[in-house]
Amino acid sequence: MKSRPVSEGTFRSPLLPVATAAAALAIFAADVFTPPDCVVSGLYVVVVLMAGNFLRDRRLWFASLGCAALAVGAQFLAHRYVLENNQVAYIGAFNTLVSIVAIVLSTYLVVRGFAAQAALHRARIDLAYAGRVTLMGELTASIAHEVNQPIVGVVTNASACLRWLGGESPNLQEAQAAASRIVRDGRRAADIISRVRQLFTKGTPQRQPVDINQLIRETVELLGAQAARESTTIRTDLVADLPFVMADRIQLQQVVLNLILNGVDAMKESGTARELTVRSGRSEEGHVAVSVADNGVGLPPQDVHRLFDPFFTTKPEGTGMGLSISRSIIEAHDGRLWATPNRPRGAVFAFALPAGEPGMDPFPPTA
């Protein structure tokens, strides 16, 4: 069933027009039989407000003109029952004029209120549309940001594989290793797309026990070639025998990857030796903690509170989505992500996740 347009006017009760007409007639009768110095006709403002619930625009103005006509008509009829006294007539005429002005002003305010409501409705529609566009932009940026790294890895390893095979003495062992890395990155990209698709389904996240130290080692190895190109040394300081965490492995690896890449980028303008340290350990709460420390440009003091906001970036070619995505992933795993200044220079980004209980697997694999 289609709803009627706002301009036609709708009302909840079919008795409201009848009640409005009855109120107008009652005010007219009272205005006739009361002395002119009683401004009964001013009550037509109530009639206008009642009519505003089911009349719009021209129809409401016509109703207001009707109220004004009733006020004037009552004044003429009232002269039959009052003494022919000029002072009384002047008082009645003045009160009627005041009532007409009140009727016109109240009608104007009601019409303006309708216009404001319509503008607010349009603004809400525009805001909802802008929200959908923003959500689409965030989703697009997220997908591009997530998939970009494995694609770069595929291209880099494919080039290396061709180079090993194209030499005078093809190095089959290195070519095979590069091809294996291509397969690994391709599968990783497929896993990321699968996780994105899960955002639109009611499926359970694929959480499993994750060895955080092993995940860090794999991520550092994955970025080894890129770190070498940037003349950056990545060191690890990992505490042994850490408990596992229940997490989506791909999402958690993406967080570590983002933090390391941000640290590498932050040191591009550094005049000192570029060193980045990835540490693991336990937080004060007993959670498994990971930190990535660089000796780059450090945190912008005026924008520290905006570091994790979507689309905020200090890099000319940055999307501003990496830290925002990382925070969303960590918080979805009941953890927290934060940033602090490094000493003597640089920044430290760290996150902590609840440790899993030994022998417990809340998301067991299904057959």
Side-chain angles (χ1 to χ4, degrees):
M1 181 177 180
K2 296 182 179 180
S3 60
R4 298 175 63 185
V6 176
S7 59
E8 294 181 5
T10 57
F11 50 90
R12 295 181 178 180
S13 173
L15 298 179
L16 187 56
V18 177
T20 303
L25 293 177
I27 294 171
F28 173 78
D31 198 15
V32 169
F33 293 102
T34 54
D37 55 349
C38 295
V39 194
V40 179
S41 55
L43 296 176
Y44 284 117
V45 172
V46 178
V47 176
V48 171
L49 297 178
M50 294 175 64
N53 289 288
F54 58 91
L55 296 179
R56 297 290 186 271
D57 302 331
R58 290 185 179 181
R59 296 181 181 183
L60 182 59
W61 279 110
F62 287 146
S64 300
L65 291 176
C67 291
L70 289 177
V72 174
Q75 176 66 20
F76 282 105
L77 291 177
H79 286 175
R80 302 177 187 174
Y81 306 104
V82 298
L83 297 176
E84 293 183 0
N85 186 315
N86 289 334
Q87 182 179 3
V88 173
Y90 292 151
I91 293 175
F94 177 77
N95 290 342
T96 301
L97 180 61
V98 171
S99 300
I100 292 175
V101 172
I103 292 171
V104 172
L105 287 178
S106 61
T107 305
Y108 173 77
L109 292 177
V110 171
V111 171
R112 292 287 295 177
F114 293 152
Q117 290 178 0
L120 178 61
H121 180 67
R122 289 193 299 271
R124 287 175 176 172
I125 293 177
D126 293 342
L127 182 61
Y129 173 75
R132 291 194 297 270
V133 172
T134 301
L135 180 60
M136 182 62 67
E138 291 180 357
L139 180 60
T140 303
S142 174
I143 295 173
H145 192 279
E146 297 283 337
V147 179
N148 182 63
Q149 292 303 323
I151 290 178
V152 170
V154 168
V155 174
T156 302
N157 289 305
S159 299
C161 183
L162 291 175
R163 186 170 60 254
W164 291 119
L165 292 175
E168 294 182 0
S169 299
N171 191 328
L172 297 182
Q173 184 177 0
E174 292 292 347
Q176 184 179 7
S180 299
R181 291 193 294 269
I182 292 173
V183 173
R184 178 197 62 189
D185 291 337
R187 288 177 176 173
R188 184 164 171 269
D191 287 340
I192 291 173
I193 296 298
S194 176
R195 299 304 191 274
V196 172
R197 293 180 61 187
Q198 287 180 3
L199 294 175
F200 302 96
T201 64
K202 296 182 179 180
T204 303
Q206 296 183 8
R207 296 191 183 183
Q208 57 186 353
V210 175
D211 183 343
I212 198 69
N213 287 342
Q214 182 62 27
L215 184 142
I216 292 174
R217 294 189 190 100
E218 292 177 359
T219 307
V220 170
E221 180 184 357
L222 179 65
L223 296 175
Q226 182 170 348
R229 288 194 300 270
E230 300 292 344
S231 301
T232 300
T233 301
I234 301 180
R235 306 183 186 278
T236 57
D237 181 9
L238 309 179
V239 174
D241 299 326
L242 284 176
F244 63 79
V245 294
M246 296 302 303
D248 185 306
R249 183 180 181 83
I250 297 296
Q251 291 184 353
L252 197 56
Q253 188 176 36
Q254 190 63 46
V255 172
V256 177
L257 191 71
N258 287 338
L259 297 183
I260 294 178
L261 288 176
N262 284 346
V264 172
D265 289 340
M267 293 186 292
K268 286 183 178 180
E269 304 299 329
S270 174
T272 59
R274 302 174 185 178
E275 293 185 358
L276 184 142
T277 304
V278 184
R279 295 184 175 88
S280 68
R282 283 181 175 272
S283 66
E284 296 179 356
E285 299 84 4
H287 294 176
V288 175
V290 175
S291 67
V292 178
D294 63 70
N295 60 352
V297 295
L299 304 175
Q302 70 278 9
D303 295 319
V304 171
H305 63 288
R306 302 176 57 196
L307 286 176
F308 300 99
D309 291 348
F311 303 112
F312 173 77
T313 179
T314 57
K315 296 181 290 186
E317 298 179 356
T319 63
M321 291 302 299
L323 290 177
S324 175
I325 294 170
S326 298
R327 182 182 62 176
S328 299
I329 291 174
I330 295 300
E331 290 181 349
H333 286 78
D334 300 321
R336 66 186 187 95
L337 172 64
W338 68 94
T340 57
N342 196 11
R343 297 290 182 255
R345 59 177 299 173
V348 179
F349 286 86
F351 64 86
L353 294 173
E357 295 293 335
M360 293 184 60
D361 187 354
F363 301 100
T366 58

